[in-house]
Amino acid sequence: MSRLKLIDRLQPKTIRAKLSALTLSFLLITVGLVLLLVYVQQRSLLQTQWAESVRAQARLLANNSEAALAFLDQREEERLLSSLSTNPEIISGRILLPDGKTFAHYQRNSKTLVPLPNKETPSGFQGNYLLIREVITLPRQNQPIGEVELLVSLEQFHQTMRSTLIDTSLLLLVALMSALIVTRFVVSSITKPLEQLDALAQKVSRQGAVDERIDIQSNDELGNLGRGFNRMLDSLKARDQELAAYHESLESV
């Protein structure tokens, strides 16, 4: 079987099937676009919230680290870094000197070492991690004396996004099923008169049944078509009656 014949066989043949296929395609495209829009907006919103939350914690840590870093108190800096344990998403944190060397370091899980980012790695979302940097400066001084660097796991972020995607998909699926039910009713109300008209036309062409009429109550184009078809049958019946009367008059002569 050629490709063209296969495509022709797969195409809907009736108006009901064509309208159903068209409506289904439109609904699927709409649902897909809505799902994509919700995902993009939710991802952007969640990323902003996560970044602002971690950045606020880094800013607080930078302010508290000013004195300890100014006096090069490594023990105090490590104590300050230990406060990061209150945030389970922070994998590691460290205080960097202006030359890029690590002055104090915090690691949540010593058994699972995460490669620390280098100086050239930009802040922001990096695959499965979020990197936040905050400069440490002394009051009334513009020259930085160090930098806070926090590395955050995005596992919970991805779980939240998956949960949001699943919930949104289920909601849109319910909406899609509801729309399909309504669409089926609407398509049926449109195509039923056409199907009745087609059945009557087939019956008239095959059996010559000019006594039957189609009952379409609507006042739209379908109603006009049905009434026009009924008038055509009336004309055919009147013509048949005239021909029958003419034949009878010929036979009686």
Side-chain angles (χ1 to χ4, degrees), residues 59-249:
R59 193 177 300 117
L60 178 62
L61 183 60
N63 293 334
N64 294 336
S65 300
E66 293 174 359
L69 190 58
F71 291 100
L72 298 179
D73 190 346
Q74 187 176 17
R75 181 176 297 180
E76 177 63 15
E77 286 290 8
E78 290 179 350
R79 186 190 68 81
L80 291 173
L81 286 174
S82 65
S83 65
L84 298 176
S85 60
T86 58
N87 189 340
E89 306 306 325
I90 296 179
I91 300 175
S92 66
R94 57 178 177 170
I95 303 296
L96 299 174
L97 297 175
D99 59 2
K101 293 182 180 180
T102 300
F103 180 70
H105 180 243
Y106 163 80
Q107 184 80 32
R108 172 167 295 278
N109 189 352
S110 59
K111 297 180 180 179
T112 305
L113 296 179
V114 179
L116 296 175
N118 54 44
K119 193 66 176 178
E120 289 74 23
T121 304
S123 299
F125 289 84
Q126 307 290 336
N128 293 325
Y129 303 101
L130 169 63
L131 178 62
I132 296 295
R133 292 193 177 100
E134 186 69 27
V135 176
I136 303 174
T137 56
L138 293 177
R140 301 178 183 179
Q141 292 187 9
N142 295 327
Q143 189 68 24
I145 62 173
E147 187 178 51
V148 174
E149 182 183 86
L150 302 181
L151 190 64
V152 183
S153 171
L154 295 180
E155 181 179 353
Q156 184 61 41
F157 172 86
H158 293 311
Q159 289 180 358
T160 303
M161 287 304 304
R162 284 193 294 268
S163 178
T164 301
L165 191 61
I166 292 174
D167 293 341
T168 305
S169 299
L170 290 176
L171 182 61
L172 290 177
L173 182 60
V174 172
L176 177 61
M177 297 304 295
S178 302
L180 287 177
I181 293 175
V182 175
T183 300
R184 183 176 181 182
F185 173 77
V186 173
V187 169
S188 178
S189 64
I190 294 175
T191 59
K192 186 176 180 180
L194 292 176
E195 292 170 350
Q196 293 175 349
L197 187 61
D198 178 67
L200 182 56
Q202 294 290 338
K203 194 173 183 179
V204 170
S205 63
R206 294 174 181 176
Q207 303 176 9
V210 296
D211 292 329
E212 297 190 23
R213 299 292 182 270
I214 187 171
D215 184 19
I216 300 179
Q217 302 296 332
S218 61
N219 295 320
D220 53 11
E221 290 83 353
L222 292 177
N224 294 333
L225 182 61
R227 286 186 287 272
F229 193 79
N230 288 337
R231 287 193 295 270
M232 182 189 69
L233 292 179
D234 291 338
S235 299
L236 290 176
K237 185 177 181 181
R239 186 199 62 182
D240 290 344
Q241 290 175 348
E242 291 177 359
L243 289 175
Y246 180 72
H247 290 159
E248 290 179 0
S249 62

Side-chain angles (χ1 to χ4, degrees), residues 1 7 21 25 29 39 47 136 139 158 176 208 234:
M1 181 182 299
I7 295 176
S25 301
I29 293 174
Y39 176 79
Q47 283 181 338
I136 303 174
H158 293 311
L176 177 61
D234 291 338

